[in-house]
Amino acid sequence: MTASIVSTQFDNRVEAEPKVKSNGRVLIADDDSSALAMLESILSGLNWEVTAVSDGTEAWSVLSADDTPSLAILDWRMPGMDGIEVCRRLRSMQKSEYTYIILITARDGEQDIIEGMESGADDYVTKPFNPHVLTARVKPALRIHDLESNLRKELAEREAAEADIRQAKEQTEAVNQQLKQTIDRANRLADEAKAANNAKSEFLANMSHEIRTPMNAVIGMTELALDTKLTSEQREYLSTVMSSAQSLLDLINDILDFSKIEAGRLAFEHTEFSLRGTLWETVQTLAGRSDSKGLELICHVLPDVPDGLVGDPGRLRQIIVNLVGNSIKFTEQGEVFVLVETDRDLSDDKICLHFSVSDTGIGISDEKQEVIFDVFAQADVATTRKYGGTGLGLAISSKLVEMMGGKISVQSAPGKGSTFHFTAEFDIQKDQPVTPDMNVVENLVGVPVLIVDDNATSRHVLGGIFARWGMDVKVAESGDSALVALNKAVAEGEALPRLLLLDTRMPGMDGFAVLHRIGKNPEWRNIPVILMTHVGKPDNNCNRTEGIAACVTKPVRQTCLLDAVLSALGNKTVDERHSKASRQTSSGSDQPLRILLVEDDKVNQKVAIKSLEKWGHEVTVVENGREAVAAHESGAFDLILMDCRMPEMDGYQATAAIRRHEQSTGEYIPIVAMTANVMKGDRQRCIDAGMDDYISKPFSKQDLREAIRKVIESTSQDPQQTDKDASSTGLGYGDILDIDGPMKKLDGDMELYGELVDVFADIFPGHLSSLQGAIRTGDASLARLSAHTIRGGASNIGAVGIYNITTEMENAAETGDLEKVSELVVELQRQFRLLKEKISHEDWLEPATCEGSNI
């Protein structure tokens, strides 16, 4: 082609667009050099990167390379390879980037255009071409290039996103697989841990049983030996054995408690108790240890602290024993002071109390205070060697305090003693115990009293008590000071004290020396003296020495002190309940009983037999549950003491068999479990099996005596007296039989009424068995139905007590409270026994028994 094909209208008037970013690369191919130059000039002005060639072969070489131009302007007719062939070859290739092709030719027929477009060209420009037309035809190539670039970019981004998704999916699948493996492993470990925990619990239960069984023999035999005539040397040896056995038992209990805490199986009671009574009884058990070291043990509860609480007195006692025991252990001289005050009121019926146990002992350094509540921790190795201990006591106390909603801490310094603080939350009883103080202390107002005690804390506490009673209080820190105060009063014409409270153990002049001096002085000898003695050093002449009006034992209980003060002053004592309580205590276990002892251990048999026979009981011994069942069916006993672990048939199975037999006879015998099992649920298992009470081995003589007393008192009282006692104690179950209402319904048919009572007595054991089965299986609906059936029968015969109990049972079962239903079963059985005993008398249907119905 020649240059004449280029239009003269161009006139160099093509306006070059601003040079910005390159539009891309363009290939121009034309064998006409002038046309090639013109094309290069136009496209360069449009910001294209131009590659110019003069024949088709060169054009194909450029287009077939990897770096493909975005735009190609090809002359149709060229030497070597024409534009049509280049188009066909390019379109036959599968290239990732698209090249926009414009054919330039002088052929403008329709067939030519069709041929060019079918070869793969995108546009067609005829010669001579107008530069503006060419520019317009190039712009679609630019748009396609931009669209393609954006598309490639989007595709790349999508591919990258898809790759990321694939990678994330693969990673997620890997994590899920790893998580699944972890979960599977965790489940296996949980199952293994559960199995290990169960094995641990079983091991601890077995260990406890195996250790406690011989420990029971050691403690029991030692107690029996100490009750015999012994030389002082023998008594010292046996006392050491008893002390060591008790220490070993304490250690066993600590280990078991800690294991229960670790396993989350430590049981807490929720029962009503007296705070002051519990604390005094607790510190009283430690008084001997403190007195043996010459320490003053003081316990004081501030007046605003409520006495009637609801919680776990046993766990509170355990904390106090640990803290006070530690204080006594690490204190060589001085005092241990237990103080209780209100921390804060949580609500109208809930309170948080603050307890502190202070001592004048060796103290604890700051760095050691951080670790003493850790398991098996002691202040230092030297302390452990000197004082002993496992370090479990404080760790257990810390956990117990935490479980009681409180916190524990310590303030201490080496050589300056320690104060342990802890808080604990309790519910407050709705009806607080009545304190007699205000009813009787009016006669004490203004009475001068002199307190003689060398311990400042003790003087402060006692002085505060007397001051609250309205007494005129003076104190003396020694015997000499007391005598000086008395002499001064006489010399100055002041009134002498009307009462002297005198500590027996003081440095220099002790209490007995002061008492002797007072007795020799005619002006003082008529002053009533209350001696404060010590548990560790009792004085046998205390109550016989002239001039002594009363004696109290340190740590002093406030009620005992008030009784002593009133007695010394010639007033009636505060509490006459002690004599009644003593009669009640002795009535249960002192009457001769026929006891069936079920125990397979020979030594434990001897321990129990010796104690029981010493109390006047008749004992029959069998060695397993099968023999116990046979003995019960063939002989008459008042009580069964049942070991739980025995060969052939254990205590639970034997008790169940005995209770089944009783359903057919209507009789009932109390059963007390004797077991070395002390793990969580062991006591409830005994109760659920049908036993009446539980005593854990090793037990003391007092423990055994108290257990016998409790069950005998609850099962062997006279029916009429029992009914009166129930009313007086607020049980509220009413009379045994009240026949007035039923007789009205029966038109006075006494014979028919008697038959109804007999029928009720016959069917009662079956309904009771159904009720107990429902409790065991947790079927509240069946329990409610059984209680309702018994209640209906009781209503028909006027059995007021049974009716009231089953009404309470039915209400409890309605709410699903089977624990409450279970608690009432024992009382229901007792009421039925009273009913059976009443109707066993020939004259039970006498008219005198007819009163107004309470149902």
Side-chain angles (χ1 to χ4, degrees):
M1 295 292 176
T2 62
S4 61
I5 63 171
V6 180
S7 174
T8 57
Q9 298 177 10
F10 182 64
D11 297 332
N12 295 322
R13 288 179 295 177
V14 176
E15 297 179 1
E17 295 183 6
K19 290 187 177 181
V20 289
K21 182 181 178 181
S22 171
N23 290 324
R25 187 161 157 254
V26 60
L27 170 68
I28 55 176
D30 200 324
D31 59 333
D32 185 341
S33 59
S34 60
L36 192 64
M38 182 64 67
L39 289 170
E40 185 174 0
S41 174
I42 293 172
L43 293 169
S44 296
L46 295 174
N47 201 27
W48 286 87
E49 296 178 14
V50 180
T51 299
V53 296
S54 57
D55 62 59
T57 302
E58 290 183 76
W60 170 243
S61 177
V62 173
L63 291 172
S64 62
D66 292 337
D67 186 15
T68 304
S70 303
L71 171 65
I73 301 176
L74 305 177
D75 187 19
W76 187 324
R77 297 290 178 90
M78 290 184 295
M81 185 183 298
D82 62 18
I84 294 292
E85 180 65 20
V86 173
C87 283
R88 290 194 181 101
R89 288 193 178 189
L90 182 60
R91 294 304 182 223
S92 66
M93 294 181 66
Q94 299 295 326
K95 301 201 71 173
S96 59
E97 295 185 9
Y98 187 80
T99 301
Y100 191 87
I101 300 176
I102 300 175
L103 281 178
I104 302 177
T105 179
R107 301 170 63 177
D108 57 358
E110 290 182 359
Q111 190 62 35
D112 295 325
I113 295 172
I114 292 171
E115 182 182 357
M117 300 300 287
E118 287 181 348
S119 69
D122 296 283
D123 204 354
Y124 193 99
V125 178
T126 58
K127 292 182 180 180
F129 57 83
N130 188 312
H132 296 291
V133 173
L134 181 63
T135 299
R137 294 295 179 89
V138 166
K139 287 184 178 180
L142 179 60
R143 289 196 297 271
I144 291 174
H145 170 71
D146 290 341
L147 290 171
E148 185 182 29
S149 296
N150 291 336
L151 181 60
R152 280 198 302 270
K153 182 178 179 181
E154 289 178 5
L155 288 174
E157 291 175 351
R158 178 174 294 182
E159 288 176 355
E162 289 176 350
D164 290 341
I165 292 172
R166 284 194 302 272
Q167 183 179 6
K169 182 180 179 181
E170 291 171 357
Q171 291 175 347
T172 301
E173 290 175 350
V175 170
N176 287 339
Q177 183 63 27
Q178 185 177 5
L179 181 60
K180 183 178 181 300
Q181 294 173 352
T182 302
I183 292 173
D184 291 342
R185 182 170 178 270
N187 288 335
R188 287 196 306 273
L189 291 175
D191 291 340
E192 292 171 3
K194 183 177 180 181
N197 195 45
N198 291 337
K200 174 183 174 183
S201 297
E202 183 65 24
F203 169 77
L204 288 171
N206 290 332
M207 181 189 72
S208 170
H209 183 274
E210 296 303 320
I211 294 176
R212 286 172 178 273
T213 297
M215 282 294 295
N216 186 61
V218 172
I219 293 177
M221 285 297 189
T222 305
E223 278 189 326
L224 291 173
L226 286 169
D227 284 343
T228 63
K229 291 183 179 180
L230 301 169
T231 66
S232 58
E233 187 177 21
Q234 290 170 332
R235 187 168 298 279
E236 180 182 354
Y237 292 161
L238 287 172
S239 296
T240 302
V241 171
M242 177 63 78
S243 175
S244 299
Q246 191 59 51
S247 297
L248 180 57
L249 182 60
D250 291 342
L251 176 58
I252 294 169
N253 289 336
D254 279 348
I255 294 172
L256 289 175
D257 274 345
F258 183 73
S259 69
K260 292 176 190 176
I261 291 172
E262 273 195 322
R265 296 186 176 186
L266 190 69
F268 266 76
E269 292 183 3
H270 193 70
T271 186
E272 295 183 349
F273 70 98
S274 163
L275 172 65
R276 288 168 176 82
T278 298
L279 285 176
W280 183 81
E281 291 167 2
T282 302
V283 298
Q284 195 70 14
T285 63
L286 298 163
R289 291 164 58 183
S290 65
D291 282 331
S292 67
K293 299 182 71 172
L295 304 176
E296 193 83 23
L297 179 57
I298 308 160
C299 179
H300 185 49
V301 182
L302 293 187
D304 67 320
V305 176
D307 186 58
L309 302 179
V310 180
D312 193 330
R315 296 304 176 188
L316 175 60
R317 188 180 298 112
Q318 188 174 357
I319 298 169
I320 295 295
V321 166
N322 274 327
L323 297 183
V324 175
N326 271 357
S327 289
I328 293 172
K329 181 193 297 185
F330 297 114
T331 302
E332 297 301 328
Q333 59 182 3
E335 67 182 43
V336 176
F337 180 34
V338 181
L339 178 65
V340 186
E341 53 195 333
T342 299
D343 184 73
R344 64 190 187 280
D345 291 321
L346 301 174
S347 65
D348 291 340
D349 56 359
K350 197 173 185 66
I351 194 169
C352 181
L353 299 182
H354 176 258
F355 299 78
S356 61
V357 179
S358 305
D359 63 60
T360 54
I362 61 175
I364 308 167
S365 62
D366 291 340
E367 60 272 16
K368 298 301 180 182
Q369 292 178 28
E370 299 177 1
V371 301
I372 58 172
F373 296 108
D374 295 340
V375 183
F376 305 115
Q378 285 274 19
D380 54 48
V381 176
T383 300
T384 304
R385 283 199 301 266
K386 181 175 181 180
Y387 295 100
T390 62
L392 277 176
L394 288 178
I396 292 172
S397 296
S398 176
K399 293 294 185 181
L400 293 178
V401 167
E402 182 180 335
M403 295 171 76
M404 295 169 75
K407 296 181 179 179
I408 192 169
S409 62
V410 62
Q411 293 177 317
S412 184
K416 296 183 179 180
S418 305
T419 299
F420 284 84
H421 302 269
F422 74 91
T423 56
E425 296 179 1
F426 300 94
D427 292 337
I428 303 173
Q429 294 178 27
K430 293 181 180 179
D431 299 320
Q432 285 294 306
V434 178
T435 55
D437 299 6
M438 294 303 103
N439 300 327
V440 296
V441 299
E442 292 181 359
N443 294 331
L444 302 181
V445 175
V447 173
V449 58
L450 176 62
I451 302 172
V452 187
D453 196 327
D454 63 300
N455 184 273
T457 304
S458 180
R459 292 196 303 271
H460 174 74
V461 170
L462 293 169
I465 293 173
F466 284 143
R468 284 194 299 277
W469 293 342
M471 302 179 75
D472 182 11
V473 183
K474 290 184 172 57
V475 296
E477 69 275 10
S478 66
D480 289 328
S481 299
L483 297 178
V484 168
L486 293 174
N487 277 317
K488 181 181 178 183
V490 172
E492 297 180 359
E494 297 177 356
L496 287 170
R498 287 181 53 195
L499 183 66
L500 188 65
L501 186 65
L502 182 59
D503 188 14
T504 57
R505 188 177 63 193
M506 294 184 292
M509 182 182 294
D510 65 17
F512 292 106
V514 174
L515 187 65
H516 179 70
R517 294 282 295 273
I518 290 175
K520 293 178 64 176
N521 190 316
E523 295 177 310
W524 305 338
R525 67 176 55 173
N526 292 325
I527 299 175
V529 176
I530 299 176
L531 278 187
M532 294 186 292
T533 62
H534 298 259
V535 173
K537 295 182 179 180
D539 187 88
N540 294 328
N541 296 318
C542 178
N543 293 320
R544 296 195 299 268
T545 304
E546 186 178 354
I548 298 177
C551 290
V552 293
T553 305
K554 282 190 169 185
V556 179
R557 189 173 190 176
Q558 186 168 324
T559 55
C560 296
L561 179 62
L562 182 56
D563 267 348
V565 169
L566 294 173
S567 176
L569 294 175
N571 296 318
K572 187 176 181 180
T573 58
V574 178
D575 200 348
E576 295 180 351
R577 293 173 296 174
H578 295 301
S579 59
K580 179 181 177 182
S582 299
R583 291 195 300 271
Q584 290 175 344
T585 302
S586 63
S587 64
S589 59
D590 289 346
Q591 57 179 315
L593 303 172
R594 292 164 298 176
I595 296 177
L596 177 62
L597 175 64
V598 190
E599 170 67 69
D600 63 321
D601 186 86
K602 299 292 185 183
V603 179
N604 284 332
Q605 286 178 9
K606 292 181 180 179
V607 172
I609 291 170
K610 290 292 184 183
S611 296
L612 295 170
E613 289 182 343
K614 190 171 184 178
W615 298 331
H617 303 309
E618 178 185 336
V619 184
T620 300
V621 181
V622 295
E623 296 189 352
N624 60 58
R626 197 176 304 281
E627 294 177 2
V629 174
H632 167 259
E633 293 177 356
S634 62
F637 298 97
D638 301 309
L639 173 70
I640 298 177
L641 298 176
M642 181 79 75
D643 188 23
C644 291
R645 288 196 179 189
M646 294 178 294
E648 297 190 42
M649 179 185 285
D650 64 25
Y652 306 111
Q653 296 168 325
T655 299
I658 290 171
R659 294 302 183 223
R660 284 195 298 270
H661 180 261
E662 289 175 340
Q663 289 176 10
S664 62
T665 65
E667 298 176 350
Y668 188 89
I669 184 169
I671 301 176
V672 176
M674 299 189 307
T675 178
N677 293 342
V678 291
M679 300 302 285
K680 181 180 179 181
D682 286 329
R683 185 183 190 282
Q684 189 59 44
R685 184 182 178 190
C686 293
I687 301 302
D688 291 343
M691 300 174 184
D692 297 271
D693 205 350
Y694 167 103
I695 180 172
S696 62
K697 297 177 183 177
F699 49 78
S700 66
K701 292 186 300 182
Q702 184 58 36
D703 293 334
L704 179 59
R705 194 182 188 113
E706 179 65 15
I708 294 173
R709 182 192 67 79
K710 283 171 60 180
V711 296
I712 294 301
E713 281 190 357
S714 66
T715 58
S716 300
Q717 296 179 23
D718 176 75
Q720 295 180 354
Q721 183 62 41
T722 301
D723 189 55
K724 293 175 183 177
D725 290 344
S727 300
S728 64
T729 56
L731 293 175
Y733 294 123
D735 297 331
I736 300 166
L737 278 177
D738 190 346
I739 70 175
D740 188 50
M743 289 300 293
K744 288 180 181 178
K745 295 178 183 179
L746 298 174
D747 294 328
D749 191 334
M750 193 76 71
E751 183 177 354
L752 178 57
Y753 175 74
E755 291 177 2
L756 291 177
V757 173
D758 290 338
V759 169
F760 178 80
D762 289 339
I763 67 173
F764 177 88
H767 292 310
L768 176 62
S769 178
S770 175
L771 175 63
Q772 291 173 318
I775 294 171
R776 284 193 297 272
T777 59
D779 191 339
S781 178
L782 179 58
R784 188 196 64 78
L785 179 61
S786 299
H788 179 77
T789 302
I790 298 173
R791 175 171 169 261
S795 176
N796 290 334
I797 66 171
V800 181
I802 293 177
Y803 178 90
N804 290 338
I805 295 168
T806 49
T807 299
E808 195 171 344
M809 282 181 159
E810 191 174 350
N811 293 335
E814 187 76 35
T815 62
D817 188 359
L818 289 181
E819 184 177 351
K820 177 67 173 177
V821 178
S822 179
E823 291 174 357
L824 292 169
V825 167
V826 174
E827 180 61 26
L828 178 61
Q829 291 171 321
R830 188 178 74 85
Q831 286 288 338
F832 181 68
R833 289 196 300 274
L834 297 176
L835 172 66
K836 289 280 289 185
E837 185 169 348
K838 186 176 186 67
I839 65 177
S840 66
H841 298 287
E842 294 181 359
D843 58 349
W844 74 276
L845 277 176
E846 289 295 321
T849 61
C850 299
E851 299 174 359
S853 176
N854 291 324
I855 296 182

mmCIF file of all heavy atoms in Angstrom, residues 365-387:
data_model
loop_
_atom_site.group_PDB
_atom_site.id
_atom_site.type_symbol
_atom_site.label_atom_id
_atom_site.label_comp_id
_atom_site.label_asym_id
_atom_site.label_seq_id
_atom_site.Cartn_x
_atom_site.Cartn_y
_atom_site.Cartn_z
ATOM 1 N N SER A 365 6.253 -15.342 110.258
ATOM 2 C CA SER A 365 6.856 -14.293 109.435
ATOM 3 C C SER A 365 5.940 -13.959 108.260
ATOM 4 O O SER A 365 5.083 -14.757 107.861
ATOM 5 C CB SER A 365 8.220 -14.749 108.905
ATOM 6 O OG SER A 365 8.078 -15.889 108.078
ATOM 7 N N ASP A 366 6.173 -12.763 107.665
ATOM 8 C CA ASP A 366 5.311 -12.306 106.570
ATOM 9 C C ASP A 366 5.329 -13.262 105.389
ATOM 10 O O ASP A 366 4.288 -13.567 104.803
ATOM 11 C CB ASP A 366 5.747 -10.908 106.108
ATOM 12 C CG ASP A 366 5.452 -9.844 107.150
ATOM 13 O OD1 ASP A 366 4.607 -10.104 108.027
ATOM 14 O OD2 ASP A 366 6.065 -8.762 107.094
ATOM 15 N N GLU A 367 6.531 -13.736 105.009
ATOM 16 C CA GLU A 367 6.606 -14.586 103.820
ATOM 17 C C GLU A 367 5.949 -15.943 104.035
ATOM 18 O O GLU A 367 5.431 -16.560 103.100
ATOM 19 C CB GLU A 367 8.066 -14.781 103.381
ATOM 20 C CG GLU A 367 8.979 -15.439 104.403
ATOM 21 C CD GLU A 367 9.620 -14.448 105.363
ATOM 22 O OE1 GLU A 367 9.128 -13.294 105.425
ATOM 23 O OE2 GLU A 367 10.599 -14.813 106.023
ATOM 24 N N LYS A 368 5.944 -16.411 105.287
ATOM 25 C CA LYS A 368 5.326 -17.709 105.564
ATOM 26 C C LYS A 368 3.811 -17.610 105.693
ATOM 27 O O LYS A 368 3.110 -18.601 105.546
ATOM 28 C CB LYS A 368 5.909 -18.311 106.840
ATOM 29 C CG LYS A 368 7.408 -18.592 106.779
ATOM 30 C CD LYS A 368 7.749 -19.556 105.652
ATOM 31 C CE LYS A 368 9.241 -19.825 105.596
ATOM 32 N NZ LYS A 368 9.578 -20.731 104.463
ATOM 33 N N GLN A 369 3.302 -16.409 105.958
ATOM 34 C CA GLN A 369 1.855 -16.243 106.083
ATOM 35 C C GLN A 369 1.135 -16.533 104.776
ATOM 36 O O GLN A 369 -0.048 -16.868 104.770
ATOM 37 C CB GLN A 369 1.524 -14.823 106.547
ATOM 38 C CG GLN A 369 1.964 -14.526 107.970
ATOM 39 C CD GLN A 369 1.675 -13.101 108.382
ATOM 40 O OE1 GLN A 369 0.737 -12.476 107.887
ATOM 41 N NE2 GLN A 369 2.475 -12.555 109.282
ATOM 42 N N GLU A 370 1.870 -16.407 103.654
ATOM 43 C CA GLU A 370 1.249 -16.629 102.353
ATOM 44 C C GLU A 370 1.062 -18.107 102.043
ATOM 45 O O GLU A 370 0.304 -18.457 101.137
ATOM 46 C CB GLU A 370 2.094 -15.974 101.259
ATOM 47 C CG GLU A 370 2.246 -14.460 101.422
ATOM 48 C CD GLU A 370 3.144 -13.867 100.358
ATOM 49 O OE1 GLU A 370 3.623 -14.636 99.495
ATOM 50 O OE2 GLU A 370 3.370 -12.650 100.383
ATOM 51 N N VAL A 371 1.760 -18.995 102.748
ATOM 52 C CA VAL A 371 1.730 -20.420 102.376
ATOM 53 C C VAL A 371 1.092 -21.305 103.434
ATOM 54 O O VAL A 371 0.871 -22.490 103.177
ATOM 55 C CB VAL A 371 3.156 -20.933 102.077
ATOM 56 C CG1 VAL A 371 3.778 -20.148 100.946
ATOM 57 C CG2 VAL A 371 4.043 -20.864 103.325
ATOM 58 N N ILE A 372 0.819 -20.781 104.625
ATOM 59 C CA ILE A 372 0.372 -21.672 105.702
ATOM 60 C C ILE A 372 -1.002 -22.279 105.449
ATOM 61 O O ILE A 372 -1.355 -23.278 106.070
ATOM 62 C CB ILE A 372 0.353 -20.938 107.066
ATOM 63 C CG1 ILE A 372 -0.564 -19.720 107.003
ATOM 64 C CG2 ILE A 372 1.741 -20.573 107.505
ATOM 65 C CD1 ILE A 372 -0.764 -19.074 108.351
ATOM 66 N N PHE A 373 -1.793 -21.683 104.519
ATOM 67 C CA PHE A 373 -3.093 -22.269 104.203
ATOM 68 C C PHE A 373 -3.006 -23.272 103.054
ATOM 69 O O PHE A 373 -4.014 -23.833 102.658
ATOM 70 C CB PHE A 373 -4.112 -21.174 103.858
ATOM 71 C CG PHE A 373 -4.409 -20.259 105.012
ATOM 72 C CD1 PHE A 373 -3.951 -18.949 105.031
ATOM 73 C CD2 PHE A 373 -5.131 -20.719 106.108
ATOM 74 C CE1 PHE A 373 -4.218 -18.105 106.097
ATOM 75 C CE2 PHE A 373 -5.404 -19.885 107.182
ATOM 76 C CZ PHE A 373 -4.945 -18.577 107.179
ATOM 77 N N ASP A 374 -1.771 -23.457 102.526
ATOM 78 C CA ASP A 374 -1.581 -24.464 101.485
ATOM 79 C C ASP A 374 -1.510 -25.840 102.113
ATOM 80 O O ASP A 374 -1.195 -25.996 103.301
ATOM 81 C CB ASP A 374 -0.290 -24.198 100.699
ATOM 82 C CG ASP A 374 -0.360 -22.888 99.919
ATOM 83 O OD1 ASP A 374 -1.482 -22.415 99.687
ATOM 84 O OD2 ASP A 374 0.701 -22.352 99.561
ATOM 85 N N VAL A 375 -1.755 -26.848 101.286
ATOM 86 C CA VAL A 375 -1.763 -28.226 101.780
ATOM 87 C C VAL A 375 -0.355 -28.643 102.196
ATOM 88 O O VAL A 375 0.625 -28.352 101.504
ATOM 89 C CB VAL A 375 -2.284 -29.174 100.675
ATOM 90 C CG1 VAL A 375 -2.354 -30.597 101.205
ATOM 91 C CG2 VAL A 375 -3.641 -28.717 100.208
ATOM 92 N N PHE A 376 -0.259 -29.311 103.330
ATOM 93 C CA PHE A 376 0.983 -29.866 103.869
ATOM 94 C C PHE A 376 2.037 -28.784 104.125
ATOM 95 O O PHE A 376 3.228 -29.052 104.090
ATOM 96 C CB PHE A 376 1.570 -30.927 102.929
ATOM 97 C CG PHE A 376 0.612 -32.029 102.598
ATOM 98 C CD1 PHE A 376 0.161 -32.207 101.298
ATOM 99 C CD2 PHE A 376 0.140 -32.880 103.587
ATOM 100 C CE1 PHE A 376 -0.741 -33.217 101.001
ATOM 101 C CE2 PHE A 376 -0.755 -33.888 103.294
ATOM 102 C CZ PHE A 376 -1.194 -34.054 101.998
ATOM 103 N N ALA A 377 1.596 -27.543 104.348
ATOM 104 C CA ALA A 377 2.553 -26.453 104.571
ATOM 105 C C ALA A 377 2.688 -26.172 106.062
ATOM 106 O O ALA A 377 1.714 -26.178 106.803
ATOM 107 C CB ALA A 377 2.104 -25.186 103.840
ATOM 108 N N GLN A 378 3.921 -25.926 106.496
ATOM 109 C CA GLN A 378 4.214 -25.460 107.842
ATOM 110 C C GLN A 378 5.045 -24.197 107.721
ATOM 111 O O GLN A 378 5.539 -23.866 106.635
ATOM 112 C CB GLN A 378 4.982 -26.531 108.630
ATOM 113 C CG GLN A 378 4.121 -27.699 109.093
ATOM 114 C CD GLN A 378 3.434 -27.394 110.429
ATOM 115 O OE1 GLN A 378 3.320 -26.241 110.817
ATOM 116 N NE2 GLN A 378 2.991 -28.426 111.107
ATOM 117 N N ALA A 379 5.167 -23.474 108.813
ATOM 118 C CA ALA A 379 5.924 -22.222 108.751
ATOM 119 C C ALA A 379 7.362 -22.466 108.308
ATOM 120 O O ALA A 379 7.891 -21.766 107.466
ATOM 121 C CB ALA A 379 5.893 -21.514 110.097
ATOM 122 N N ASP A 380 8.015 -23.487 108.858
ATOM 123 C CA ASP A 380 9.352 -23.859 108.406
ATOM 124 C C ASP A 380 9.660 -25.261 108.913
ATOM 125 O O ASP A 380 8.923 -25.844 109.693
ATOM 126 C CB ASP A 380 10.406 -22.851 108.889
ATOM 127 C CG ASP A 380 10.367 -22.642 110.392
ATOM 128 O OD1 ASP A 380 10.341 -23.650 111.121
ATOM 129 O OD2 ASP A 380 10.360 -21.482 110.824
ATOM 130 N N VAL A 381 10.779 -25.792 108.437
ATOM 131 C CA VAL A 381 11.151 -27.169 108.775
ATOM 132 C C VAL A 381 11.393 -27.314 110.269
ATOM 133 O O VAL A 381 11.003 -28.307 110.893
ATOM 134 C CB VAL A 381 12.406 -27.582 107.970
ATOM 135 C CG1 VAL A 381 12.857 -28.979 108.380
ATOM 136 C CG2 VAL A 381 12.106 -27.535 106.482
ATOM 137 N N ALA A 382 12.030 -26.314 110.879
ATOM 138 C CA ALA A 382 12.317 -26.393 112.309
ATOM 139 C C ALA A 382 11.027 -26.453 113.113
ATOM 140 O O ALA A 382 10.911 -27.187 114.098
ATOM 141 C CB ALA A 382 13.158 -25.185 112.735
ATOM 142 N N THR A 383 10.023 -25.688 112.672
ATOM 143 C CA THR A 383 8.725 -25.714 113.351
ATOM 144 C C THR A 383 8.102 -27.091 113.255
ATOM 145 O O THR A 383 7.552 -27.620 114.221
ATOM 146 C CB THR A 383 7.778 -24.671 112.720
ATOM 147 O OG1 THR A 383 8.359 -23.384 112.855
ATOM 148 C CG2 THR A 383 6.422 -24.682 113.396
ATOM 149 N N THR A 384 8.185 -27.682 112.071
ATOM 150 C CA THR A 384 7.617 -29.015 111.878
ATOM 151 C C THR A 384 8.302 -30.027 112.785
ATOM 152 O O THR A 384 7.650 -30.879 113.393
ATOM 153 C CB THR A 384 7.774 -29.439 110.408
ATOM 154 O OG1 THR A 384 7.161 -28.448 109.577
ATOM 155 C CG2 THR A 384 7.102 -30.781 110.159
ATOM 156 N N ARG A 385 9.618 -29.945 112.866
ATOM 157 C CA ARG A 385 10.345 -30.899 113.717
ATOM 158 C C ARG A 385 9.969 -30.716 115.175
ATOM 159 O O ARG A 385 9.796 -31.689 115.912
ATOM 160 C CB ARG A 385 11.859 -30.703 113.542
ATOM 161 C CG ARG A 385 12.419 -31.276 112.264
ATOM 162 C CD ARG A 385 13.912 -31.445 112.379
ATOM 163 N NE ARG A 385 14.577 -30.184 112.652
ATOM 164 C CZ ARG A 385 15.098 -29.387 111.721
ATOM 165 N NH1 ARG A 385 14.995 -29.725 110.454
ATOM 166 N NH2 ARG A 385 15.683 -28.264 112.031
ATOM 167 N N LYS A 386 9.821 -29.466 115.619
ATOM 168 C CA LYS A 386 9.576 -29.220 117.033
ATOM 169 C C LYS A 386 8.135 -29.495 117.431
ATOM 170 O O LYS A 386 7.870 -30.110 118.456
ATOM 171 C CB LYS A 386 9.930 -27.769 117.365
ATOM 172 C CG LYS A 386 9.720 -27.429 118.849
ATOM 173 C CD LYS A 386 10.189 -26.017 119.158
ATOM 174 C CE LYS A 386 9.992 -25.691 120.635
ATOM 175 N NZ LYS A 386 10.432 -24.320 120.950
ATOM 176 N N TYR A 387 7.187 -29.031 116.591
ATOM 177 C CA TYR A 387 5.784 -29.097 116.991
ATOM 178 C C TYR A 387 4.994 -30.197 116.280
ATOM 179 O O TYR A 387 3.888 -30.523 116.685
ATOM 180 C CB TYR A 387 5.099 -27.748 116.722
ATOM 181 C CG TYR A 387 5.656 -26.628 117.553
ATOM 182 C CD1 TYR A 387 6.584 -25.731 117.028
ATOM 183 C CD2 TYR A 387 5.258 -26.471 118.875
ATOM 184 C CE1 TYR A 387 7.099 -24.691 117.794
ATOM 185 C CE2 TYR A 387 5.761 -25.425 119.648
ATOM 186 C CZ TYR A 387 6.677 -24.548 119.106
ATOM 187 O OH TYR A 387 7.178 -23.529 119.863
#
